[in-house]
Amino acid sequence: MTQLYKNYIAGEWVAGGSEIENRNPSDLSDVIGLYAQATSDQLEQALDQARVAQAEWAATGIEKKYNVLMAIGTEMMTRAEELGTLLSREEGKPLVEGKGEVYRAGQFFTYYAAESLRQMGDTADSTRENIEIDVRREALGVVGIISPWNFPTATASWKIAPALCYGNAVLWKPANATPASAVALTEIIAKQDIPKGLFSLVMGAGSEVGQRLVKSPKVDGISFTGSVPVGKGIARAAIENLTKIQMEMGSKNALAVMDDADVDLAVAMAAGGAFGGTGQKCTASSRLIVHSAIHDEFVSKLLVATEAMKVGHALEAGTQIGPVVSQQQLTENMAYVELGKSEGAELLCGGQRLEMPTEGYYMAPGLFINSNNDMRINREEMFAPLTAVIKVDSYDEALTTLNDTNFGLTAGIMTQNLARATHFRRNAKSGCVMVNLATAGTDYHVPFGGRGDSSYGPREQGSYAAEFYTVVKTTYISSGTPM
Ligand code: NDP
């Protein structure tokens, strides 16, 4: 019998109003489990208990917070193999990436364990005599976290860990496409000695549980990662209650490959950046802006590298590209392949659905050439193992093309010219810049976020996360009349 996994609400594991089935995208005959969908009453109960628990947690000493976060992180890192296998089984990314993600997620918790000991404020003299000023941060309160399926454990962890570190209560609504990873992380958090209801898992559809969460006046902040249309809807709903928001919504990242680049390195960075995670990364290199002087050499080598990538079952040794996450994503990807062709780009390889020994959502990585920056395949986030080459004749043209986008999460350049790299670092209109690196691949101790449609609100990760998860309090202290 298929196992039913429950929500964790106000400190108890509870069945929901209904369930959804979770299937392995590498093998549709593999049912991972049934996952409870939270009811509106359960959501209210979680919100009410979170308010009580948050007050207790905010008053809890920093060493206790350190111990809790460190225990969560350490367990995740220790169990990275097991939990990474589960993640890859339900999301479809190759096992090495699944394990890496869980380990990285653990590092977010250990990083914020240390950060919980490092909560320094400021002091200042008043402009008035005998008055001193103390500026410190306090918890925001009850935070709703809405996370996507493409990094089901890491994205949630880089939100949950700072939320708890800075003294908040959390209600987590994970993506319904990846509930198993959510239950696994919740089981680890639920083991900790924390106030009852400090952390609740509320699985359910975004349009139902997610919407109720963002519309609730009982929530002080919403941290969201997902698509632009959903993000805009969340912003509209949140503003009704003046709820603080932080949103990361994808991108259309470009890697500029200059005439002085190490071409073999550029090919490796382009292939990894475009097709890692089956292209389902907000940092994916989905535009390759290539100087005409090395265009042909770059394209012929990238073609070889793309065709050599092994597509297969996420848990099979040697797989470099797993299936895409769902039938809906596959259908959208195929539509983008047809769109690119109809717009006049040339599909050099891939882009077709693949048959494998197990039935799943497999497709061959696709490489477009002869594309231009006005095409929709170069303007919309495809979230697919697809990338497109745009030929340019100069660095200036490359930079102008790269910046001509509504998004701005990451931008990369391949060059051996220091002056050019420096100019690029200063003039690329994006939140993260990569020099001689793929556009994907970031660290856990520094800020992450973008410009334009990519992000809204304060940055995530590193000590910058405090900006969202805390409020600043300025206290004036009079020492009375001078002695
Ligand atoms: P969504 O934006 O629909 O989903 C992201 C999260 O938001 C999920 O937990 C989802 O829940 C939830 N959600 C959906 N609708 C609402 C709503 N009305 N109110 C509150 N929460 C909601 O992204 P998809 O998963 O559908 O992916 C679609 C596209 O979004 C991708 O193809 C890609 O372009 C982009 N995307 C970008 C990501 C990034 O890293 N920036 C991550 C994921 C997607 P549920 O899915 O359970 O219904």
Side-chain angles (χ1 to χ4, degrees):
M1 216 171 84
T2 313
Q3 188 169 343
L4 169 67
Y5 294 90
K6 299 176 177 176
N7 276 307
Y8 186 65
I9 290 173
E12 308 290 338
W13 291 98
V14 291
S18 58
E19 294 105 39
I20 55 147
E21 198 179 64
N22 184 14
R23 280 181 190 263
N24 178 349
S26 298
D27 177 0
L28 298 177
S29 68
D30 175 22
V31 179
I32 300 165
L34 296 172
Y35 292 83
Q37 305 287 281
T39 65
S40 52
D41 285 351
Q42 288 171 337
L43 184 69
E44 289 304 313
Q45 191 197 348
L47 282 164
D48 291 340
Q49 187 58 35
R51 183 65 59 193
V52 177
Q54 193 271 323
E56 191 186 327
W57 182 243
T60 299
I62 54 174
E63 203 159 60
K64 172 75 184 284
K65 293 190 179 100
Y66 169 90
N67 289 336
V68 166
L69 291 164
M70 191 55 95
I72 296 168
T74 306
E75 180 164 348
M76 290 176 80
M77 290 190 281
T78 310
R79 293 174 59 194
E81 170 97 32
E82 170 207 345
L83 300 181
T85 304
L86 180 65
L87 193 163
S88 289
R89 185 175 161 213
E90 74 168 346
E91 199 271 352
K93 64 181 65 176
L95 186 53
V96 63
E97 293 183 28
K99 287 192 277 192
E101 177 174 342
V102 172
Y103 194 86
R104 169 53 58 92
Q107 289 174 311
F108 281 108
F109 281 95
T110 57
Y111 171 81
Y112 282 105
E115 203 64 13
S116 66
L117 300 179
R118 216 179 282 132
Q119 297 185 37
M120 312 293 268
D122 289 320
T123 58
D125 286 339
S126 168
T127 53
R128 290 166 283 165
E129 299 254 317
N130 303 318
I131 294 177
E132 286 182 359
I133 299 171
D134 163 271
V135 183
R136 57 169 56 225
R137 291 184 178 275
E138 293 185 353
L140 178 60
V142 174
V143 177
I145 287 174
I146 301 179
S147 58
W149 47 263
N150 62 329
F151 282 95
T153 308
T155 305
S157 297
W158 79 55
K159 296 173 188 294
I160 295 167
L164 296 178
C165 162
Y166 296 115
N168 300 282
V170 170
L171 268 80
W172 178 24
K173 199 227 78 70
N176 252 348
T178 49
S181 297
V183 170
L185 174 54
T186 302
E187 282 169 354
I188 295 174
I189 297 174
K191 275 191 223 169
Q192 309 305 320
D193 178 20
I194 53 176
K196 183 177 149 80
L198 182 72
F199 178 90
S200 283
L201 173 69
V202 285
M203 295 182 284
S207 54
E208 293 171 25
V209 177
Q211 269 299 290
R212 282 199 289 270
L213 190 58
V214 299
K215 286 183 173 164
S216 173
K218 297 176 183 173
V219 172
D220 299 301
I222 293 283
S223 182
F224 164 79
T225 299
S227 61
V228 175
V230 171
K232 285 184 176 171
I234 288 176
R236 278 191 292 271
I239 202 71
E240 274 300 308
N241 298 314
L242 299 179
T243 302
K244 194 173 179 182
I245 48 175
Q246 171 186 64
M247 305 197 295
E248 200 269 283
M249 297 164 290
S251 195
K252 195 68 199 172
N253 314 291
L255 182 68
V257 183
M258 291 297 93
D259 48 344
D260 54 24
D262 173 334
V263 175
D264 291 332
L265 181 64
V267 166
M269 292 300 137
F275 305 128
T278 320
Q280 301 171 142
K281 288 186 184 179
C282 50
T283 51
S285 311
S286 58
R287 290 184 296 154
L288 303 174
I289 301 171
V290 183
H291 197 289
S292 50
I294 47 121
H295 174 273
D296 293 355
E297 181 191 356
F298 175 83
V299 165
S300 62
K301 287 183 168 171
L302 184 59
L303 172 63
V304 172
T306 304
E307 288 188 318
M309 292 188 95
K310 185 174 181 298
V311 180
H313 193 298
L315 302 182
E316 219 170 79
T319 291
Q320 291 171 296
I321 301 182
V324 304
V325 74
S326 63
Q327 179 59 54
Q328 186 191 331
Q329 194 68 45
L330 186 64
T331 305
E332 287 171 18
N333 295 356
M334 292 300 156
Y336 273 118
V337 171
E338 291 312 311
L339 177 70
K341 290 195 270 189
S342 73
E343 287 182 306
E346 183 187 336
L347 184 67
L348 200 56
C349 70
Q352 75 279 18
R353 188 168 187 170
L354 295 175
E355 298 297 325
M356 293 284 161
T358 50
E359 193 195 347
Y361 307 123
Y362 299 100
M363 74 176 277
L367 176 61
F368 282 111
I369 58 167
N370 296 334
S371 76
N372 68 57
N373 206 43
D374 293 329
M375 294 176 175
R376 280 179 56 201
I377 56 163
N378 283 323
R379 305 210 73 86
E380 298 172 14
E381 183 174 53
M382 297 189 282
F383 236 53
L386 295 170
T387 192
V389 174
I390 303 170
K391 196 199 284 191
V392 291
D393 290 322
S394 67
Y395 165 71
D396 287 344
E397 190 186 350
L399 182 62
T400 305
T401 307
L402 178 138
N403 282 336
D404 178 14
T405 173
N406 292 338
F407 295 101
L409 186 56
T410 69
I413 188 166
M414 303 300 301
T415 180
Q416 298 188 66
N417 179 322
L418 179 62
R420 205 170 249 182
T422 304
H423 185 273
F424 183 81
R425 284 169 56 198
R426 294 188 181 162
N427 292 283
K429 289 194 171 60
S430 62
C432 308
V433 172
M434 311 295 183
V435 177
N436 293 320
L437 288 166
T439 56
T442 56
D443 284 0
Y444 58 90
H445 65 303
V446 286
F448 175 68
R451 297 187 186 184
D453 285 357
S454 289
S455 294
Y456 190 83
R459 285 281 183 266
E460 304 200 68
Q461 303 182 20
S463 57
Y464 282 62
E467 210 51 51
F468 176 71
Y469 291 103
T470 64
V471 285
V472 171
K473 179 180 275 179
T474 309
T475 305
Y476 294 79
I477 310 133
S478 169
S479 55
T481 359
M483 292 167 70

